[in-house]
């Protein structure tokens, strides 16, 4: 078997293990709830029978390990449990399954994330490459100061400044992105323009700095100096000597920042009232609807781990030294 | 003793001169005079913030939660930045916000350093299974994004200031653990540490007298950076409505409470930028701290810009 294949398999196994432990951590959130939370969910007028039924539904009469395995089994088959909201003291249950709440919002969030990535990734890679090639020029320095400032800004500051100028003073884009499933594609793009621009600005700053650092690091190595000394053209150095070794750091940078975007999405969605999974999670935290919080956290954590894993694997697959072992 | 004035030089006099090392303050001042403009801007801004935070009750014209009859009032002499949604003076709340927001962030950063630094040093010195267990634990905690993890924990424990400080302090301590461990590992292998261990010094002595003085510069820089992260994280959580709760004045929640004013930009630009004032306060402080950290990293590590 090819040694690269083995390394990838090992990395995949590690990823699955991490996921398993993370799921355990997220599951134990319910364990840490105070004992009287059933009353808090059902209301003070709840009868002893409704409380007992609710506890039985949550499986609180069983040991934690059995409940975890049960929960894990249903999560794997796509069942994230039922929301705490919509229940009341009378025992009438109007609660909805968590999957039903999450599914439409997940597509919205994915749309926003893909939209942003399509703009942000090429933009920051090109700018990062340019600043690395023309380093210590005015162009590089001004970009450096701009990105350093942009990183220090909270997302909501960027978002509201954009709203002030692009939606309020000059009404170019709508300030609310309340799309629904009937919104047509182009209208949807137009309505999500402002959240996408906000996310782009925040992630480009990070991605650009990291790309620049990775490329400069690469250009300092001796084989590049050798290529320069033997008279290879600048374009050829980049394309034939630098780029094959640059894929790994660049992939890491992109994946890392997409993972960063996953988190940034929460604040941006709340600012623009965009019906995504981040807003759902914040609402669930406010109302302490634990199953929904768990579901959202699990999705965020999975995406995060998956993106980091992808970066690792791309790094391994594109590494010429690993591909052609001596 | 200026050299040019010496007419009758003698080696005897020179060798008799007592040379004293420059005091800590003098050395600090020399370094400070070489600081670039950005570092000076950063230091002045940060001192200004600290001053406002410490003397908030004396600077603020009104009380922190004092309510006036007109909500969403315009900018005037009586209320410099107008009033908020229930008629509290925005200028006053900005000043008190400095105290609350910065105070909580500083406390959280200290807690994170206390936990992370102590466990990190423990892992470097004891090695073996202590190191293994702590490192794996940190790996797991770092596999979940910080904001998401704090949201989960806040939904369980509720949003009080105490739980906010403990949750974020614990989560952020993972990064400090990693840093302390990696820097500490370089020091712990040195001969003087081994000598101290052979002398039979206690664990406490080895940590405080042998290792800690050697890893202070990177930890100090990390303190600045970590403060920025924690400050932004707490502000974001407060903005989302799950961080610092009203009536405590806080910049993050002030942005959210007054956000709807932005839509009136066409009619009164000043009212429209009111919600941006607390957001700008957050942004300016983070930029200022970053400027200082940048300069500090530059001088303490002798690190020059990559060529």
């Amino acid at each position: 078997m090819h040694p690269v294949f083995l390394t990838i398999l090992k990395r995949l196994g590690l990823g699955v293990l991490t996921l398993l432990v993370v799921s355990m951590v997220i599951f134990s959130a319910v364990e840490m709830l105070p004992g009287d939370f059933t009353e808090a969910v059902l209301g003070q007028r709840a009868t002893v029978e409704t409380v007992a039924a609710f506890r039985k539904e949550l499986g609180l009469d069983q040991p934690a390990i059995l409940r975890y395995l049960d929960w894990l089994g249903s999560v794997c088959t796509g069942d994230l449990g039922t929301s705490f909201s919509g229940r009341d003291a009378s025992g009438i249950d109007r609660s909805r399954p968590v999957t039903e709440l999450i599914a439409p919002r997940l597509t919205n969030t994915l749309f926003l994330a893909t939209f942003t990535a399509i703009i942000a990734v090429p933009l920051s890679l090109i700018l990062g490459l340019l600043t690395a090639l023309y380093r210590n020029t005015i162009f590089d320095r001004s970009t450096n100061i701009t990105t350093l400032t942009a990183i220090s800004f909270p997302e909501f500051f960027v978002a509201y400044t954009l709203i002030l100028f692009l939606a309020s003073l000059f009404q170019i884009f709508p300030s609310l992105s309340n799309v629904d499933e009937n919104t047509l594609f182009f209208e949807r793009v137009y309505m999500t323009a402002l959240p996408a621009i906000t996310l782009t600005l925040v992630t480009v700053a990070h991605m650009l700095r990291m790309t620049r650092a990775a490329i400069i690091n690469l250009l300092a190595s001796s084989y590049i100096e050798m290529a320069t000394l033997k008279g290879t053209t600048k374009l050829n150095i980049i394309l034939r000597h630098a780029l094959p070794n640059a894929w790994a750091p660049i992939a890491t940078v992109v994946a890392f920042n997409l993972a960063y975007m996953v988190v940034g999405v929460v604040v941006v969605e709340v600012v623009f009232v965009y019906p995504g999974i981040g807003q759902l999670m914040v609402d669930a935290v406010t109302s302490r609807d634990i199953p929904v919080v768990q579901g959202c956290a699990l999705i965020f954590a999975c995406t995060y781990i998956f993106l980091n894993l992808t970066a690792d694997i791309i790094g391994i697959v594109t590494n010429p030294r690993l591909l052609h072992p001596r | 003793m200026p050299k040019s004035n010496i007419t009758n030089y003698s080696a005897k006099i020179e060798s008799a001169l007592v040379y004293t090392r420059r005091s800590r303050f003098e050395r600090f001042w020399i370094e400070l005079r070489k600081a670039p403009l950005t570092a000076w801007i950063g230091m002045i801004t940060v001192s200004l913030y600290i001053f406002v935070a410490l003397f908030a009750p004396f600077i603020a014209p009104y009380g922190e939660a004092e309510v006036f009859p007109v909500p969403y009032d315009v900018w005037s002499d009586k209320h410099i930045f107008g009033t908020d949604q229930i008629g509290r003076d925005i200028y006053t709340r900005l000043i008190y916000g400095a105290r609350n927001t910065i105070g909580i962030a500083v406390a959280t950063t200290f807690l994170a350093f206390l936990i992370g630094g102590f466990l990190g040093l423990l892992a470097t010195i004891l090695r073996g299974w202590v190191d293994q267990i702590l490192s794996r634990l940190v790996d797991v905690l770092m596999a979940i994004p910080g904001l998401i993890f704090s949201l989960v924990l806040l939904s369980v424990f509720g949003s009080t200031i105490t739980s906010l400080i403990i949750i974020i302090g614990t989560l952020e301590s993972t990064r400090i653990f990693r840093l302390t461990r990696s820097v500490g590992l370089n020091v712990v292998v040195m001969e003087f540490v081994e000598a101290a261990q052979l002398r039979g010094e206690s664990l406490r002595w080895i940590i405080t007298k042998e290792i800690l003085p050697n890893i202070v510069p990177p930890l100090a820089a990390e303190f600045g950076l970590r403060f920025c992260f924690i400050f932004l994280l707490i502000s974001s959580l407060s903005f989302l409505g799950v961080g610092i709760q009203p009536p405590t004045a806080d910049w993050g929640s002030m942005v959210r409470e007054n956000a709807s004013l932005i839509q009136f930009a066409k009619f009164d630009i000043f009212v429209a930028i009111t919600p941006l004032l607390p957001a700008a306060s957050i942004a300016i402080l983070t930029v200022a701290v970053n400027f200082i950290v940048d300069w500090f990293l530059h001088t303490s590590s002798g690190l020059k810009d990559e060529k």
Side-chain angles (χ1 to χ4, degrees):
Chain A
M1 207 176 346
H2 201 284
V4 170
F5 192 68
L6 261 180
T7 327
I8 291 174
L9 222 58
K10 234 188 260 171
R11 213 44 72 88
L12 277 176
L14 206 66
V16 172
L17 198 70
T18 320
L19 260 182
L20 212 64
V21 181
V22 164
S23 76
M24 251 181 248
V25 172
I26 290 175
F27 170 78
S28 55
V30 162
E31 291 307 293
M32 290 184 285
L33 278 176
D36 57 348
F37 82 96
T38 40
E39 278 85 1
V41 170
L42 295 176
Q44 284 182 338
R45 288 183 300 116
T47 53
V48 184
E49 288 78 31
T50 27
V51 171
F54 183 46
R55 290 183 72 89
K56 195 172 170 62
E57 186 198 320
L58 288 176
L60 288 180
D61 48 356
Q62 281 169 1
I65 179 81
L66 280 183
R67 253 178 305 142
Y68 171 67
L69 291 176
D70 205 35
W71 180 77
L72 192 66
S74 36
V75 165
C76 290
T77 50
D79 172 20
L80 289 165
T82 0
S83 160
F84 276 178
S85 66
R87 298 167 193 271
D88 57 36
S90 55
I92 301 169
D93 193 355
R94 282 187 223 90
S95 59
R96 297 167 65 193
V98 177
T99 335
E100 202 179 285
L101 289 169
I102 287 182
R105 283 162 171 266
L106 185 62
T107 34
N108 282 344
T109 297
L110 286 178
F111 177 78
L112 177 60
T114 323
F115 185 16
T116 313
I118 290 173
I119 312 173
V121 172
L123 187 69
S124 46
L125 288 187
I126 292 170
L127 281 177
L129 194 68
L130 286 179
T131 45
L133 283 180
Y134 301 101
R135 58 188 172 279
N136 293 330
T137 57
I138 295 173
F139 166 65
D140 177 34
R141 272 160 209 225
S142 49
T143 321
N144 195 28
I145 292 180
T146 319
T147 50
L148 192 67
T149 334
I151 289 175
S152 319
F153 285 174
E155 284 101 350
F156 53 84
F157 180 59
V158 180
Y160 280 123
T161 314
L162 283 177
I163 292 188
L164 177 65
F165 287 108
L166 296 180
S168 191
L169 271 184
F170 309 99
Q171 282 155 3
I172 303 170
F173 295 113
S175 63
L176 296 182
S177 318
N178 44 350
V179 295
D180 53 38
E181 65 264 37
N182 297 323
T183 320
L184 297 167
F185 180 75
F186 286 105
E187 203 185 337
R188 193 175 272 252
V189 169
Y190 172 68
M191 288 179 91
T192 47
L194 273 187
I197 296 174
T198 311
L199 271 177
T200 307
L201 284 178
V202 180
T203 36
V204 159
H206 274 271
M207 228 187 293
L208 191 154
R209 284 177 78 85
M210 287 167 71
T211 316
R212 179 178 177 273
I215 301 221
I216 283 180
N217 199 12
L218 202 76
L219 290 180
S221 43
S222 21
Y223 62 86
I224 299 288
E225 201 180 346
M226 175 70 197
T228 321
L229 286 177
K230 75 181 184 199
T232 322
T233 58
K234 216 167 185 177
L235 188 70
N236 250 336
I237 292 180
I238 300 282
L239 289 182
R240 303 209 25 192
H241 296 269
L243 218 49
N245 287 298
W247 288 126
I250 287 177
T252 320
V253 169
V254 170
F256 183 85
N257 284 287
L258 290 181
Y260 176 84
M261 202 165 77
V262 165
V263 182
V265 123
V266 178
V267 174
V268 173
E269 278 178 7
V270 171
V271 173
F272 293 97
V273 203
Y274 184 76
I277 191 172
Q279 210 194 21
L280 177 72
M281 182 168 183
V282 173
D283 289 345
V285 171
T286 321
S287 59
R288 302 182 78 169
D289 191 346
I290 306 294
V292 179
V293 175
Q294 280 178 323
C296 297
L298 206 61
I299 290 175
F300 276 122
C302 282
T303 326
Y304 194 73
I305 293 171
F306 172 76
L307 284 170
N308 282 322
L309 193 70
T310 321
D312 268 359
I313 291 178
I314 292 177
I316 296 167
V317 171
T318 56
N319 189 339
R321 267 160 297 193
L322 283 177
L323 277 182
H324 310 285
R326 261 181 278 177
Chain B
M1 184 173 192
K3 263 185 198 149
S4 54
N5 291 349
I6 303 169
T7 42
N8 49 347
Y9 174 81
S10 92
K12 207 173 171 186
I13 293 180
E14 196 187 348
S15 60
L17 276 175
V18 182
Y19 286 93
T20 47
R21 194 178 181 201
R22 285 192 179 105
S23 72
R24 202 173 272 256
F25 179 75
E26 275 174 319
R27 275 179 285 150
F28 181 65
W29 181 244
I30 287 171
E31 204 53 59
L32 205 61
R33 272 191 307 193
K34 286 192 286 184
L37 183 67
T38 49
W40 273 105
I41 295 175
M43 278 184 285
I44 293 169
T45 317
V46 170
S47 351
L48 215 65
Y49 270 89
I50 295 175
F51 177 79
V52 171
L54 287 179
F55 298 104
F58 305 105
I59 306 170
Y62 305 110
E64 184 177 353
E66 207 176 326
V67 179
F68 293 91
V70 188
Y72 291 132
D73 205 356
V74 292
W75 291 23
S76 61
D77 289 341
K78 196 167 164 238
H79 302 291
I80 300 177
F81 295 139
T83 56
D84 69 1
Q85 84 281 10
I86 58 168
R88 291 171 298 194
D89 184 51
I90 300 249
Y91 177 59
T92 306
R93 290 186 64 81
L94 270 179
I95 292 171
Y96 274 98
R99 163 176 272 204
N100 301 327
T101 319
I102 300 175
I104 292 172
V106 168
T108 314
T109 320
F110 269 114
L111 182 71
F113 266 77
L114 215 63
I115 303 174
F118 176 69
L119 291 180
L121 285 174
L122 213 61
T124 40
I125 297 171
L126 298 178
R127 308 293 291 276
W129 59 269
V130 179
D131 187 17
Q132 279 298 322
I133 290 178
L134 286 175
S135 297
R136 292 296 82 74
L137 193 72
V138 164
D139 284 348
V140 171
L141 288 185
M142 284 176 83
I144 308 174
L147 182 69
I148 304 299
F149 207 164
S150 20
L151 280 177
V152 173
L153 291 178
L154 282 173
S155 71
V156 174
F157 295 110
S159 308
T160 60
I161 289 179
T162 331
S163 62
L164 198 66
I165 292 179
I166 295 176
I167 290 171
I168 296 177
T170 317
L171 290 181
E172 287 293 318
S173 69
T174 52
R175 323 235 158 212
I176 295 140
F177 171 85
R178 282 243 176 122
L179 181 79
T180 321
R181 186 176 167 277
S182 64
V183 200
L185 275 180
N186 292 330
V187 179
V188 87
V189 292
M190 301 266 188
E191 277 91 354
F192 58 84
V193 180
E194 201 176 334
Q197 274 168 339
L198 290 176
R199 278 203 309 274
E201 301 286 8
S202 66
L203 188 66
R204 190 180 147 191
W205 174 281
I206 294 178
I207 288 183
T208 56
K209 301 278 172 182
E210 308 286 344
I211 299 180
L212 213 50
N214 286 299
I215 59 169
V216 162
L219 283 186
E222 179 71 11
F223 190 88
L225 286 180
R226 224 13 74 192
F227 169 78
C228 286
F229 268 99
I230 291 177
F231 183 61
L232 286 179
L233 181 60
I234 293 182
S235 304
S236 301
L237 286 172
S238 302
F239 170 76
L240 295 175
V242 293
I244 304 167
Q245 298 294 321
T248 313
D250 154 75
W251 291 337
S253 34
M254 281 175 75
V255 178
R256 183 193 178 90
E257 285 161 4
N258 300 300
S260 53
L261 287 176
I262 289 189
Q263 55 187 324
F264 301 115
K266 287 221 157 171
F267 311 103
D268 187 345
I269 183 72
F270 292 116
V271 165
I273 61 171
T274 307
L276 288 180
L277 293 175
S281 311
I282 297 169
I284 292 170
L285 179 63
T286 355
V287 173
V289 174
N290 266 329
F291 277 159
I292 301 180
V293 171
D294 227 34
W295 164 65
F296 185 81
L297 275 178
H298 219 75
T299 45
S300 73
S301 64
L303 195 78
K304 296 284 168 251
D305 247 346
E306 66 283 82
K307 250 178 84 183

